[in-house]
Amino acid sequence: DAGVTQSPTHLIKTRGQHVTLRCSPISGHKSVSWYQQVLGQGPQFIFQYYEKEERGRGNFPDRFSARQFPNYSSELNVNALLLGDSALYLCASSFGVTRNQPQHFGDGTRLSIL
Amino acid sequence: DAKTTQPNSMESNEEEPVHLPCNHSTISGTDYIHWYRQLPSQGPEYVIHGLTSNVNNRMASLAIAEDRKSSTLILHRATLRDAAVYYCIRNAGGTSYGKLTFGQGTILTVHP
């Protein structure tokens, strides 16, 4: 079975631009979460979506937005890119939203801002 | 915040057992303990989780203290492929579910 897939794998943008990152969850998984991982640190939670509704939001500015589609895939959008947005963006999926369910991560999109 | 405390780094020799400790002294009665690991250039990988009882799976064992204020991830025979950053996370569920709070983790080095 395919795992969580993210696209693109690498992306280079310049300051002020906009970016869209995509995530396809494991088949049957209805929850998608997004994380940002800056070099040398653990991942930081950005958003969680379940059944196409936002269920959680981390401490990120409004430049960050996301949505989940009827097929449970998801997009993360970042506007007005800053140098500090350079990071690995990770998507994770799970079947539901109970605390005993593990999350399964993709290998991320490496975003570089010039 | 869902705080856990782990050593910054640990070392092991190949084919020896590894015990990775985690303190979570403020854990509530319904929080699960999850462990993930992250190999270089990859996303985090789920390892194991538990609530009160010790747990075993094909990857590792999880020993949870009786008072639940600490836990230990046990790799029974370390291999070079086990070299990774290991994260211990409290999963509170409910409205917090989906928000895994990663700390710095423990960098495990495995020597041949």
Side-chain angles (χ1 to χ4, degrees), chain A residues 15-80:
Chain A
R15 284 177 294 175
Q17 285 188 312
H18 163 271
V19 69
T20 297
L21 310 180
R22 295 177 175 83
C23 172
S24 293
I26 291 172
S27 178
H29 284 192
K30 300 180 180 180
S31 174
V32 169
S33 298
W34 287 94
Y35 294 80
Q36 180 195 67
Q37 187 172 25
V38 174
L39 198 61
Q41 297 184 17
Q44 272 197 296
F45 173 76
I46 309 175
F47 285 110
Q48 190 224 4
Y49 278 78
Y50 177 67
E51 290 281 15
K52 302 178 286 295
E53 291 189 2
E54 182 183 302
R55 294 289 296 265
R57 173 186 286 255
N59 189 23
F60 280 82
D62 292 342
R63 298 184 297 107
F64 289 77
S65 64
R67 55 179 175 168
Q68 187 177 32
F69 298 100
N71 66 353
Y72 302 110
S73 67
S74 178
E75 285 183 351
L76 175 70
N77 295 284
V78 186
N79 292 323

Side-chain angles (χ1 to χ4, degrees), chain A residues 8-12 37-39 87-89 108-112, chain B residues 41:
Chain A
T9 55
H10 295 83
L11 199 53
I12 299 175
Q37 187 172 25
V38 174
L39 198 61
L88 179 67
Y89 288 84
T109 294
R110 174 72 62 187
L111 176 63
S112 300
Chain B
S41 302

